[in-house]
Amino acid sequence: MGQGTSAYDQSELAEFQDLTYFTKREVLHVHKRFGELAPEKMKSHGRNPVLSKEEILALPELAANPFKERILEVFSDNGDGNMNFEQFLDMMSQLSSKAPLETKIDFAFKIYDFNEDGQICENDLQKVILFLVQPAVTGATLTTDERNQVIKNKSTKGKKDEVSLTEEERNHIIRNVISEMDMDDDGSISYLDFKHGMSKLNGFEESFKVTL
C-alpha cells in the first residue's frame, strides 16, 4: 500500500503536522503503527481504511489503560470506536507527551461525561469508578452493559461478585469527589469545576499519555 515515506506526500504531511502535536516523521511512524494493526486492510483498502474498535484495541500501548474502549468511542466520529487514520492520528496526538495539559483535561472530561450532557453527574462517576477500580483489582472485565447492570444493582451473570467496591462504598467516593470539585454546589461537576480540580492534581497527565 506504500508504507513509510511514500504513504503521504510532503504537503499532506505538512498539513498533519499543523493539525497535531507531531512532526512529519512522527506522523509517518503513527501511520506505520496504524497499518500494523490490520495489514490486510491496508493492502486492500489503501492508506486510510477504517479499522474496527477490536483491531485498534490490539495496540499494546493501550492495553493497560482502563478507559481504552471509552477513549476510542470519544475519538471516533460515530462513537462506535471504529477509526480511520486521521481519527487515530488525532487520538494519538492528544495522548502524546507533547499535548498540553489543557488538551488532556478537555478530552478527559469528555471521557468521564458518559451521557454527554456537559456535566459529570453521579451516574457518570459510577461508571468512572467501575472502569478504574474493578478491572485493576480483580483482573476481570465487565462489558459496558454489565457495568450498567452493576450500577442498577442487577445481575451480571456471575461477574457482579468480582466488582471490588460495594454500592455504599462507591456512593461514598462519589459524594466526596463531588463535594471537593463542585464549586457552584449544583450537585454535578461542570467543565470549569473539572479543569480547576485537574490542573492542581499532580500526575494527572500520566493517566492520559501514550507513547508509540
Side-chain angles (χ1 to χ4, degrees):
M1 53 129 281
Q3 287 277 8
T5 56
S6 63
Y8 291 96
D9 63 34
Q10 287 300 309
S11 64
E12 291 172 315
L13 290 173
E15 183 176 0
F16 284 141
Q17 182 173 265
D18 289 342
L19 294 173
T20 68
Y21 300 106
F22 289 136
T23 64
K24 295 177 182 179
R25 183 183 295 274
E26 289 168 335
V27 169
L28 288 172
H29 177 68
V30 174
H31 187 263
K32 177 176 180 291
R33 294 299 306 278
F34 179 77
E36 290 171 350
L37 295 172
E40 293 305 315
K41 278 190 177 179
M42 299 297 283
K43 291 177 182 178
S44 60
H45 293 80
R47 65 186 184 182
N48 191 26
V50 174
L51 302 193
S52 69
K53 178 171 69 174
E54 290 71 26
E55 288 169 330
I56 299 170
L57 286 173
L59 189 72
E61 289 83 353
L62 288 176
N65 193 311
F67 291 101
K68 52 185 177 291
E69 291 188 35
R70 177 65 180 154
I71 290 172
L72 299 193
E73 291 168 0
V74 167
F75 280 99
S76 59
D77 281 353
N78 298 324
D80 55 8
N82 301 332
M83 292 184 183
N84 61 20
F85 174 64
E86 282 81 3
Q87 294 158 11
F88 182 81
L89 180 66
D90 180 40
M91 177 181 71
M92 298 314 303
S93 174
Q94 294 191 48
L95 286 170
S96 75
S97 59
K98 293 183 176 182
L101 175 60
E102 188 164 348
T103 294
K104 293 187 180 295
I105 290 175
D106 182 59
F107 78 72
F109 183 83
K110 294 176 182 177
I111 289 169
Y112 294 158
D113 180 19
F114 284 84
N115 60 11
E116 300 179 358
D117 65 350
Q119 302 281 330
I120 297 176
C121 63
E122 290 187 10
N123 195 56
D124 291 325
L125 290 173
Q126 287 275 6
K127 294 181 181 180
V128 169
I129 290 172
L130 287 174
F131 269 87
L132 281 173
V133 179
Q134 182 267 338
V137 173
T138 68
T141 299
L142 295 182
T143 66
T144 299
D145 287 342
E146 287 169 341
R147 286 189 176 96
N148 290 334
Q149 289 174 340
V150 170
I151 292 170
K152 296 175 182 177
N153 298 314
K154 294 181 179 179
S155 171
T156 57
K157 300 178 182 179
K159 293 187 178 182
K160 184 176 178 180
D161 292 338
E162 297 172 345
V163 179
S164 58
L165 294 176
T166 65
E167 179 186 6
E168 182 179 351
E169 289 170 331
R170 296 198 307 269
N171 288 338
H172 178 70
I173 293 171
I174 289 167
R175 286 193 297 269
N176 286 343
V177 170
I178 292 178
S179 175
E180 291 179 10
M181 298 186 69
D182 179 17
M183 295 187 294
D184 54 6
D185 294 323
D186 64 352
S188 61
I189 301 169
S190 68
Y191 175 75
L192 290 179
D193 294 335
F194 186 78
K195 181 178 179 180
H196 180 261
M198 293 302 102
S199 63
K200 298 188 300 181
L201 185 63
N202 291 332
F204 163 77
E205 307 98 302
E206 295 301 314
S207 300
F208 293 95
K209 183 170 73 174
V210 172
T211 302
L212 288 180

